Amino acid sequence: MIKGIFPVEKFSPLETPFYYYDMDLLRETLDTIRKETENKPFHIHYAIKANHNPRILKEIASYGFGADCVSGNEILKALACGFSPETIAFAGVGKTDREMNIGLDHDIFCFNVESKPEVKILNGLAAAKGKTARVALRINPNVDAHTHHYITTGLNENKFGINQQDLPEILEIIAESANIKLIGIHFHIGSQITDLSAFEDLCVKAAELQEWFNEKGIRLPVINVGGGLGINYQHPNHCPIADFESYFRLFEKYLKLQEDQSLHFELGRSVVAPCGSLIARTVFVKEGLQKKFLIVDAGMTDLIRPALYQAFHHIENISSDGEYTPYDVVGPICESSDVFAKEMMLNRAERGDLIAIRSAGAYGEAMASQYNCRPLPASHFSDSL
Ligand code: LLP
C-alpha cells in the first residue's frame, strides 16, 4: 500500500469527514489533457456537475478550459471562478426561463437544446433581449455505452436528447426562429465508459448525421461529443490518470472533421475523480457473527455513489500497518444502503483510525446532502494544508 500520498500527520487534528484533494494530481491531469489536445481543433468544457468546489473550478479555469453547465447557478458559479462566458455550454432537459436568461445575459458559447418546445421558448426569450442564441442540437445517437443503467444516457428510451426522426421538424422550427442560430450537434452517451469502442460507435453515428446535415446544405462548425471517459476505480495508485491519449486519438481517427469544424468534449469524472478522497474516522469496530464492521463517521450523505449505483471505491486504512483483514465499511446513516464496501481488505483497524475512500473527486462532494441533519463535508487541499 502506498500510504505516502496522504499527509496523515496533518490530517490528525482535522475534523472528519472531509474531502482531500491532491492538487498536484489534478494539475498533472490537466497538463495531460492540454498536451493531448493542443494543436488540434479540440475544446474541453469541464462538466461542472462532477465537482463545483471553487478551488477545483479555479484551477481548471486557469488552464483556459471551458465549462459545461447544467443549471443557471452552475453558469454563475463558473463565471465567478474564472471561466469565460464564450466557453460555456449549457445543457439540460428542463432549463427554466430564469436559467435561459442567465445564459443569454452572459452571451454564453452555446445552448445544447434537447426538445422542440425548448427551441421555441429560447427564441422568444432571446428576441425579448434582442439577442441571438447559439444552439447545438442534442441528438440521441442510440449508442449503448455499456455502463450502469443509471448513467447510460444515449439510448432511445432515455429522457435526454432529440430523436433522429424529429430532426426535420426541429429544423423547420429553427428556420422560423429569427433569434436562434444553429451552430452544431451535441451527443452524450453515458458516463464511466471504460470500453472505448462505445466512442467509436458514437463517431460513426456522428459522421452519418453530419452527412445528413451536409446534404441539406447545413454547415455545422461545432461537433460536441459530450463526456463519459471512465477511470480505474480498482487501482487508484497504479492508474491515477485516465487514458486521455487513447481517448483523444480515437476521435482523431474515427471522426473526420471538416474544415473550420471544431470538436468539443465535456469531460467531468476523468478530470477530477482521481484527485479526490473522502477521509473518515473509524467510530467503532463492531464484531458481527461472521463479519467485522468498520463503522466510520462518513456516510452516504457525503458520498452517495456506492449506495446509489453500487459503485466500487477502493478504501485504505491510512493509520495502520496491521495485517490485512476483511471489513464491511459502513456509515452512520439510518439506511441499510449506507455501505461503502463489503469485505474490503484493510489493515487491521481500531477506533480513531483514518480511512481514505479513493477516487471520490467526481460526483462525491457535489452530490452530498444534509440528510439526518448532517453538516456538509469540509474540503482540504494538498497545497494548503
Ligand atoms: N455532458 C453531459 C451532457 C452529461 O450529462 C454528463 C454527465 C457529462 C457531460 C460529464 O460526464 P463524465 O465525463 O463525468 O462522465 N453521478 C453519476 C454520474 C452522472 C453523470 C451525468 N452526466 C456518478 O456518480 O457516476
Side-chain angles (χ1 to χ4, degrees), residues 260-307:
D260 297 336
Q261 248 181 356
S262 54
L263 189 56
H264 296 246
F265 300 86
E266 299 172 339
L267 295 173
R269 185 190 315 269
S270 52
V271 182
V272 290
C275 74
S277 296
L278 177 60
I279 308 295
R281 211 168 241 120
T282 304
V283 184
F284 300 117
V285 180
K286 177 170 163 179
E287 304 270 348
L289 288 179
Q290 272 135 34
K291 287 170 173 275
K292 282 187 205 305
F293 292 99
L294 197 75
I295 304 174
V296 298
D297 60 3
M300 62 192 282
T301 51
D302 307 297
L303 176 65
I304 201 172
R305 305 194 67 258

Side-chain angles (χ1 to χ4, degrees), residues 45-50 68 70 91-92 112 114 138 150-151 153 160 186-193 224-230 233 247 265-271 304-305 308-309 311 313 362-364 367:
H45 305 264
Y46 163 65
I48 303 263
K49 65 169 86 68
D68 159 39
V70 289
N112 295 335
E114 306 218 10
R138 175 167 181 179
Y150 277 14
I151 48 177
T153 43
F160 301 101
H186 171 245
F187 310 93
H188 175 74
I189 55 172
S191 199
Q192 184 49 20
I193 298 169
N224 183 334
V225 289
L229 176 62
Y233 280 96
Y247 173 75
F265 300 86
E266 299 172 339
L267 295 173
R269 185 190 315 269
S270 52
V271 182
I304 201 172
R305 305 194 67 258
L308 192 57
Y309 317 115
H313 285 263
Y363 308 108
M367 292 179 80

Side-chain angles (χ1 to χ4, degrees), residues 18-237:
F18 61 85
Y19 275 90
Y20 172 72
Y21 295 103
D22 179 341
M23 298 305 277
D24 286 336
L25 179 55
L26 176 60
R27 285 188 273 266
E28 237 180 278
T29 306
L30 295 169
D31 285 335
T32 306
I33 296 172
R34 182 147 71 188
K35 185 175 131 252
E36 298 299 337
T37 54
E38 66 193 353
N39 306 322
K40 297 189 180 96
F42 288 5
H43 299 268
I44 306 296
H45 305 264
Y46 163 65
I48 303 263
K49 65 169 86 68
N51 189 313
H52 57 250
N53 187 302
R55 270 294 315 270
I56 302 284
L57 293 188
K58 284 177 190 161
E59 193 65 48
I60 297 172
S62 77
Y63 277 69
F65 294 136
D68 159 39
C69 299
V70 289
S71 72
N73 287 353
E74 279 195 357
I75 296 178
L76 295 175
K77 195 148 192 188
L79 293 170
C81 290
F83 289 93
S84 56
E86 68 271 14
T87 68
I88 293 182
F90 183 17
V93 289
K95 303 178 190 77
T96 63
D97 291 14
R98 171 188 165 264
E99 292 179 314
M100 291 194 213
N101 278 327
I102 291 174
L104 290 167
D105 287 342
H106 291 94
D107 292 317
I108 60 166
F109 163 62
C110 185
F111 291 79
N112 295 335
V113 301
E114 306 218 10
S115 65
K116 293 177 249 177
E118 186 184 338
V119 176
K120 291 183 186 165
I121 299 294
L122 181 60
N123 183 53
L125 294 172
K129 291 180 184 290
K131 296 204 172 198
T132 300
R134 286 171 290 277
V135 307
L137 296 177
R138 175 167 181 179
I139 301 172
N140 198 330
N142 203 22
V143 167
D144 191 346
H146 306 292
T147 181
H148 192 283
H149 61 282
Y150 277 14
I151 48 177
T152 297
T153 43
L155 287 172
N156 271 340
E157 74 260 25
N158 289 121
K159 70 174 173 180
F160 301 101
I162 296 161
N163 289 322
Q164 286 165 47
Q165 60 268 31
D166 290 337
L167 281 178
E169 198 185 338
I170 211 152
L171 287 184
E172 278 172 30
I173 297 172
I174 290 176
E176 291 158 7
S177 304
N179 297 74
I180 296 285
K181 182 172 187 213
L182 177 64
I183 62 165
I185 48 178
H186 171 245
F187 310 93
H188 175 74
I189 55 172
S191 199
Q192 184 49 20
I193 298 169
T194 48
D195 172 3
L196 293 189
S197 69
F199 293 117
E200 285 178 34
D201 296 346
L202 172 60
C203 288
V204 170
K205 263 283 153 68
E208 275 171 28
L209 276 157
Q210 194 166 291
E211 195 47 45
W212 187 86
F213 279 90
N214 274 344
E215 280 165 13
K216 300 212 151 10
I218 300 173
R219 238 190 95 254
L220 297 171
V222 169
I223 309 281
N224 183 334
V225 289
L229 176 62
I231 64 141
N232 190 329
Y233 280 96
Q234 314 290 329
H235 302 290
N237 295 323

